[in-house]
Amino acid sequence: MRIEGKEYRTIWFENSIVKIIDQTKLPHQFIIKDLKTVKDAINAIKVMEVRGAPLIGATASYGLVLAILENNDQSFLNKSAEDLINSRPTAINLKWAVDRMMNKLSGVNSDKILEIALNEAKEICEEDIKFCENIGLHGLKIIEQIFNKKKDTVNILTHCNAGWLATINWGTATSPIYYAHKKGIPVHVWVDETRPRNQGANLTSYELNEEEIKNTIIADNTGGILMQRGEVDMCIVGTDRTLANGDVCNKVGTYLKALAAYDNNIPFYVALPSSTIDWNIKDHKDIPIEKRNSEELSHIEGLDENRNLKKIQLYPQKSKAMNLAFDVTPAKYVTALITEKGVCEASSSGLKKLFNK
Ligand code: MRU
């Protein structure tokens, strides 16, 4: 997608270096950062220079390429794989990508391993782009149906950033929106700010602006009244881990939005590639929910009056803050899942049918 008119992907490999867009600096600074070692890749995932379930998976796969470049030794590779998986706990794409790479590399001779690892990491990225395009085409049909009935701008609410910045290109939740816009369907996006890290305000609004899609940032608590007043036609969000029974784990606050949508009879869609499906965990209480530093709540970074980046403290110094990063929306509140293979019910039978499991 575009930034200042130029096409980018979120991650690429050039001259033995992995290049990323540093998302901790957006929207105020656009900085391309070099990852030269597996430690750099692990750190980029931990501090969220890269974030979003598919993108952290892709970064982990390139992290293993960097590990091989540094030290072509099996025990170093095994330790790197373990450290990458542990760098963020909730999004299943991370483990999915590392397992896929390690399976591909198992038993491969050391003189061939780099080439095979690099090809597989590239393949993970190309596949994600294709899957996101397909999600866009399937989701487009839903937006088209609403437009054909309403004959006016389709208002879509989204939470966090499940845009192209969270994937390699296109995004999951945003892909149907980009396709609708390209087709000339008038769309407007209500962008949840998404406290505490403000991925909605800082990233989703930024990328929609760059693609000239109308959007308005709202505080996380505003969606309910907009729904009551008929100003939301549909919700589309992404996910970090969707269970085989259709329960959806996503950025904290998603659940409350789904409840409000349910109460107001507004369709609530979740867009995901199959790399985000956890076929093993049965009970959502077993999903490891990331607890992040409370400083993400108590402090905020933005531009000061001289347009310099500045971090300030918001709360009383003595106050405690707690920062759970994800929540779970039970399948019964999800209208449907939009996947690369098509749209299905958020249920075991819906997913099983689509993925022949
Ligand atoms: O903590 P983040 O910014 O990595 O969380 C991202 C989300 O919750 C996204 O909605 C999810 O990863 C889907 S990305 C296509």
Side-chain angles (χ1 to χ4, degrees):
M1 306 302 281
R2 284 174 298 183
I3 294 178
E4 290 181 5
K6 194 171 167 211
E7 289 284 335
Y8 285 94
R9 287 183 177 186
T10 51
I11 190 165
W12 63 100
F13 189 79
E14 206 177 284
N15 301 328
S16 302
I17 289 171
V18 176
K19 303 271 186 181
I20 56 159
I21 299 168
D22 181 353
Q23 300 194 20
T24 61
K25 298 288 184 291
L26 291 175
H28 305 300
Q29 295 173 347
F30 179 75
I31 293 172
I32 292 173
K33 190 165 175 177
D34 290 351
L35 308 181
K36 296 182 179 160
T37 63
V38 64
K39 261 200 179 139
D40 290 347
I42 292 166
N43 185 58
I45 296 169
K46 275 190 178 159
V47 305
M48 295 174 68
E49 288 166 350
V50 286
R51 27 73 47 210
L55 180 56
I56 60 179
T59 307
S61 63
Y62 275 122
L64 291 174
V65 173
L66 293 173
I68 295 166
L69 275 167
E70 262 176 280
N71 180 358
N72 191 347
D73 163 82
Q74 190 63 45
S75 58
F76 184 67
L77 188 63
N78 293 346
K79 173 79 172 79
S80 300
E82 197 185 311
D83 291 347
L84 281 162
I85 289 176
N86 291 332
S87 58
R88 281 193 82 188
T90 303
I92 188 77
N93 305 58
L94 196 50
K95 182 170 160 37
W96 170 86
V98 171
D99 286 351
R100 173 165 161 173
M101 291 288 290
M102 293 304 275
N103 283 338
K104 189 82 189 180
L105 301 178
S106 145
V108 170
N109 278 343
S110 57
D111 57 333
K112 278 264 176 286
I113 198 165
L114 178 61
E115 187 192 335
I116 293 177
L118 189 53
N119 284 341
E120 193 63 7
K122 284 185 179 159
E123 186 50 37
I124 285 175
C125 291
E126 294 306 322
E127 190 182 279
D128 188 67
I129 295 172
K130 191 86 222 117
F131 284 4
C132 285
E133 285 171 351
N134 287 343
I135 288 168
L137 291 168
H138 294 303
L140 167 65
K141 291 185 201 143
I142 299 171
I143 299 178
E144 255 173 340
Q145 272 168 12
I146 295 176
F147 176 66
N148 289 339
K149 252 199 210 156
K150 192 183 176 195
K151 306 265 185 263
D152 202 352
T153 301
V154 181
N155 287 304
I156 302 168
L157 185 142
T158 193
H159 190 68
C160 194
N161 174 263
W164 77 270
L165 288 167
T167 63
I168 316 302
N169 211 344
W170 291 99
T172 56
T174 54
S175 187
I177 299 171
Y178 288 131
Y179 273 99
H181 178 71
K182 278 185 202 299
K183 219 175 160 185
I185 298 173
V187 284
H188 165 260
V189 185
W190 294 114
V191 178
D192 275 356
E193 182 190 28
T194 320
R195 283 282 290 148
R197 288 187 66 101
N198 296 341
Q199 290 96 324
N202 289 342
L203 304 175
T204 305
S205 180
Y206 170 78
E207 62 165 85
L208 293 173
N209 292 343
E210 294 294 314
E211 290 290 328
E212 295 176 3
I213 294 181
K214 286 189 188 138
N215 69 93
T216 308
I217 298 167
I218 50 175
D220 292 330
N221 300 328
T222 310
I225 186 151
L226 291 176
M227 291 183 200
Q228 285 172 329
R229 297 190 171 187
E231 295 193 51
V232 179
D233 297 303
M234 67 188 296
C235 304
I236 317 182
V237 300
T239 166
D240 293 85
R241 191 188 290 240
T242 286
L243 301 190
N245 67 4
D247 287 351
V248 170
C249 179
N250 192 44
K251 180 57 53 192
V252 72
T254 303
Y255 173 42
L256 295 179
K257 236 23 79 73
L259 286 177
Y262 190 78
D263 191 45
N264 289 282
N265 233 348
I266 290 163
F268 190 92
Y269 293 97
V270 178
L272 69 154
S274 48
S275 51
T276 308
I277 304 172
D278 183 336
W279 297 101
N280 297 316
I281 285 186
K282 300 272 177 285
D283 183 339
H284 74 74
K285 292 198 185 79
D286 294 331
I287 300 174
I289 300 288
E290 181 175 3
K291 196 172 183 181
R292 295 187 63 87
N293 196 323
S294 62
E295 211 184 282
E296 289 183 349
L297 270 170
S298 58
H299 291 65
I300 202 158
E301 194 171 68
L303 295 181
D304 68 9
E305 62 279 11
N306 300 316
R307 302 197 67 75
N308 293 321
L309 270 184
K310 196 170 180 179
K311 195 172 193 175
I312 57 161
Q313 184 188 323
L314 292 170
Y315 304 153
Q317 206 153 12
K318 277 190 181 164
S319 300
K320 271 194 190 160
M322 199 271 274
N323 184 11
L324 276 189
F326 299 94
D327 64 21
V328 179
T329 301
K332 64 179 173 185
Y333 299 119
V334 177
T335 307
L337 303 172
I338 308 172
T339 77
E340 76 270 13
K341 289 213 171 194
V343 177
C344 73
E345 192 181 82
S347 67
S348 312
S349 60
L351 279 168
K352 261 188 203 156
K353 231 188 273 160
L354 209 54
F355 291 96
N356 286 328
K357 285 273 174 180

